[in-house]
Amino acid sequence: MRQWPFLVALSQSTNIETLMTIDRILVSVAPGEKRIASLAKGQLVDLRFERNCRPSLFGNIVIGRVQALINNLQAAFIDIGEEKSGYLEISDARPHDATSKDKIGDYLIEGETILVQITRDPVGEKGAKLTLRPVLSGYFLVFTPNQPKLKISNQILDPKERDRLKQIMDIKKTDLDGFIIRTSAQKSTAAEIIKEATRLELEWNEIQKKFSSSSPPRTLRQSVPLTQKLLIDHGRMDLRNLLTDDPETFKQLQTFTTTEMPDLSGLIQLYKGKEPLFRAESIEEVIEAAGEELVPLPSGGNIIINETSGLVCVDVNTGDTDQFSHEQMLRSINNEAAQVFAQQVRLRNLSGLMVIDFLKMKNKRHKLDVLKTLRRAIKSDPQPTFVSGYTQFGLVEITRQRKGLSFSSVMHGKPAIPSKSPLTTCLEALRRVLEESRVSPASFFVVKLAKKNLVLLETELSSALAETKERLGGNLELIGSQTIEQDKYEIHGKKTK
């Protein structure tokens, strides 16, 4: 059984919010892929992947054309220029002041040109999810066109600070548009906040002009790169540094922070160690463990996470715990399970409907205590998450907004498949051969892998393969094999070709 570093910190702390507050970001770049790890108190709490051949569409604002209205589903398919049509539900087409007694046809006509924002990347056979209510995110604010309301982040708890920020934004109050004041706006000056509000309004005006003079499908605005978004979200909070092993990424982030966030430019650092960054920081070990169903608890118990395409089921077990009081043991293990599961939800990017089968307790006060622990642990999650409470069968239901693919879907292609996807295997092979070249220098390298993966490297991943060969001075040969499993590969170093 793998040991999770998080468990050591959990057993020594009762403040789960502190453990989940991001203070370091690690960015590892390899041919075709960028992996971004967010750490809190030395523990991995969030892991993201950017793959060049399949860039994320999330947040993009696009001109689309209504292809078809599906009246029985009260939804529509929208051509956004991708392989699969986008999907627009009536709840995302409805204006903010509309009633629920409406139909999708009240807002859309087949063949009509519309402006939409992508709120979820395509997943499997499903196209991207869309909304007719696009928003523009800044460092301090989120601009909400055609939604005339001022909201303040729930993470801003100080009443005086909330009043100060509200007074600052009162001068921007209109009957047409609104703003959401982000957590990062705390302690920012009025001039900084108003300047950004004005910039976002001007940017929206430009998007409107392009929309009126362009034909679908066309992307009018791309969301900021993930690394920059994380800097925006956490840079002015508790972030101590952002460390990357790629000189080009280092230069890009230096340019970005110098221009847009000069007070953060000192946080960007270039890793120069001989050992690969993620290995030096013990991230690779946690990544491997994150693919396993069983997660141990500090007391000796464990939780088993079973992810399917429609539901995430979690079972809590006593394991080898040696606590004496039976009722107290159940309460203790359930509290640990609640905290560890909250961490796993964020790390694995689990979403949709989740059900936890806690150990059965008779004491109602203990049951409420476990529910309180779970809600407190979930509170630090940046994605909207709702804990509904116990069902009549004693299970706890949780719903979490879906944003991007889960860890399992990224690594294995879809949930519940124990092998890595061909894309993950190929990119890992390229990364490993570069690591091998630094540790065990050889004049020539041979990578033997499944024939299906060889075709993938020579087609969809051709640019990543070319970059790897360039780094190795051209001294790389690929051999396709009928006998190697699709998630396996072999690397051999030779002195001569």
Side-chain angles (χ1 to χ4, degrees):
M1 184 186 299
R2 297 182 188 272
Q3 294 298 313
W4 286 81
F6 176 82
L7 301 179
V8 177
L10 178 62
S11 63
Q12 298 172 349
S13 173
T14 57
N15 191 346
I16 188 67
E17 292 92 339
T18 300
L19 288 177
M20 301 289 272
T21 302
I22 293 173
D23 53 24
R24 295 184 70 216
I25 297 173
L26 308 178
V27 183
S28 179
V29 181
E33 181 180 52
K34 181 181 291 183
R35 299 183 298 166
I36 305 166
S38 298
L39 281 68
K41 302 298 181 183
Q43 314 306 319
L44 179 64
V45 297
D46 189 85
L47 182 66
R48 310 287 184 90
F49 299 84
E50 283 188 343
R51 291 174 169 175
N52 299 345
C53 62
R54 298 178 186 175
S56 173
L57 304 176
F58 177 79
N60 290 0
I61 295 179
V62 181
I63 301 177
R65 186 186 303 279
V66 180
Q67 286 183 311
L69 301 183
I70 315 300
N71 293 314
N72 60 330
L73 296 177
Q74 290 303 305
F77 287 115
I78 313 297
D79 177 15
I80 55 172
E82 297 296 322
E83 181 181 351
K84 296 182 177 66
S85 299
Y87 185 73
L88 179 63
E89 296 177 335
I90 190 170
S91 59
D92 293 309
R94 185 182 290 133
H96 79 281
D97 56 352
T99 66
S100 58
K101 296 180 180 180
D102 52 8
K103 298 179 180 179
I104 190 68
D106 295 338
Y107 309 115
L108 299 174
I109 301 173
E110 291 186 0
E112 180 184 10
T113 298
I114 59 175
L115 187 67
V116 295
Q117 186 169 39
I118 298 173
T119 59
R120 189 184 72 197
D121 280 316
V123 179
E125 297 301 314
K126 297 179 180 179
K129 190 176 181 182
L130 311 175
T131 180
L132 275 177
R133 299 190 297 272
V135 299
L136 301 181
S137 296
Y139 315 130
F140 312 121
L141 305 167
V142 175
F143 179 54
T144 57
N146 304 313
Q147 301 176 62
K149 193 172 183 179
L150 178 65
K151 299 180 181 178
I152 303 177
S153 168
N154 292 330
Q155 299 295 321
I156 302 178
L157 303 177
D158 184 358
K160 291 184 179 179
E161 180 66 2
R162 293 179 69 89
D163 288 341
R164 184 185 75 89
L165 294 171
K166 182 178 181 302
Q167 289 175 10
I168 291 173
M169 289 303 298
D170 276 344
I171 64 173
K172 284 290 183 179
K173 190 174 181 180
T174 70
D175 294 331
L176 296 176
D177 309 315
F179 288 92
I180 300 171
I181 300 176
R182 307 184 66 182
T183 308
S184 53
Q186 293 181 98
K187 299 180 182 179
S188 299
T189 66
E192 289 177 320
I193 295 173
I194 295 302
K195 180 180 179 181
E196 178 169 282
T198 303
R199 178 180 65 80
L200 292 174
E201 288 173 331
L202 291 174
E203 187 175 355
W204 177 247
N205 290 337
E206 287 300 312
I207 290 173
Q208 293 284 73
K209 290 179 183 178
K210 291 179 181 178
F211 173 62
S212 61
S213 60
S214 303
S215 299
R218 181 186 174 188
T219 299
L220 298 185
R221 182 185 189 264
Q222 291 186 324
S223 59
V224 297
L226 180 56
T227 310
Q228 294 181 12
K229 185 180 185 303
L230 289 173
L231 268 178
I232 293 169
D233 291 343
H234 304 288
R236 287 188 168 93
M237 304 294 285
D238 299 291
L239 191 67
R240 293 190 289 111
N241 70 346
L242 185 152
L243 187 63
T244 178
D245 57 10
D246 180 54
E248 184 60 30
T249 300
F250 173 74
K251 290 179 183 178
Q252 292 173 357
L253 291 174
Q254 280 282 353
T255 301
F256 170 73
T257 53
T258 300
T259 305
E260 303 290 343
M261 308 173 78
D263 54 321
L264 301 184
S265 58
L267 301 181
I268 314 301
Q269 299 174 10
L270 179 63
Y271 177 72
K272 298 180 180 179
K274 292 184 179 180
E275 189 177 11
L277 174 60
F278 272 28
R279 292 200 180 279
E281 297 281 349
S282 301
I283 301 299
E284 294 288 6
E285 180 183 354
V286 181
I287 292 176
E288 290 297 324
E292 297 183 357
E293 289 186 345
L294 190 147
V295 182
L297 301 176
S299 64
N302 61 69
I303 62 174
I304 297 177
I305 301 173
N306 183 13
E307 181 187 357
T308 70
S309 58
L311 178 71
V312 177
C313 302
V314 183
D315 190 34
V316 182
N317 301 299
T318 56
D320 300 325
T321 183
D322 57 359
Q323 298 185 34
F324 297 103
S325 170
H326 182 68
E327 184 68 18
Q328 185 59 40
M329 174 195 73
L330 299 179
R331 178 187 184 186
S332 176
I333 293 176
N334 282 339
N335 275 319
E336 287 179 356
Q339 295 184 62
V340 170
F341 178 66
Q343 186 257 356
Q344 291 292 317
V345 164
R346 188 167 171 183
L347 177 60
R348 301 179 188 226
N349 196 24
L350 302 173
S351 56
L353 178 61
M354 295 173 276
V355 177
I356 306 179
D357 186 8
F358 284 109
L359 299 172
K360 297 300 182 287
M361 297 179 293
K362 295 180 180 179
N363 191 307
K364 290 185 178 180
R365 184 164 57 86
H366 290 177
K367 293 175 69 174
L368 292 175
D369 180 56
V370 170
L371 204 59
K372 181 179 179 182
T373 299
L374 179 61
R375 285 175 171 148
R376 184 166 61 91
I378 290 288
K379 187 177 179 181
S380 61
D381 192 334
Q383 287 179 220
T385 306
F386 176 68
V387 180
S388 64
Y390 292 97
T391 69
Q392 60 178 327
F393 300 109
L395 306 175
V396 173
E397 291 185 348
I398 304 171
T399 55
R400 184 173 187 256
Q401 185 181 70
R402 196 179 301 276
K403 186 179 291 185
L405 299 175
S406 69
F407 175 87
S408 177
S409 296
V410 172
M411 298 298 287
H412 307 308
K414 60 181 179 178
I417 294 182
S419 61
K420 296 177 182 176
S421 70
L423 181 60
T424 294
T425 303
C426 291
L427 290 170
E428 182 180 289
L430 296 182
R431 187 168 67 248
R432 292 283 193 264
V433 75
L434 290 176
E435 292 177 7
E436 187 70 20
S437 70
R438 291 193 291 266
V439 178
S440 304
S443 60
F444 190 76
F445 286 91
V446 176
V447 177
K448 189 176 180 181
L449 70 175
K451 281 193 173 183
K452 177 181 178 181
N453 293 346
L454 175 60
V455 173
L456 182 62
L457 280 168
E458 293 175 341
T459 54
E460 190 173 2
L461 293 175
S462 59
S463 61
L465 176 61
E467 183 180 347
T468 305
K469 286 184 175 181
E470 183 180 353
R471 291 194 190 185
L472 296 173
N475 298 319
L476 175 64
E477 180 183 1
L478 303 180
I479 298 178
S481 170
Q482 296 279 18
T483 58
I484 292 183
E485 297 177 15
Q486 71 90 13
D487 64 335
K488 300 291 190 299
Y489 54 87
E490 297 175 5
I491 298 175
H492 304 281
K494 297 182 178 181
K495 293 184 178 180
T496 57
K497 293 187 178 181

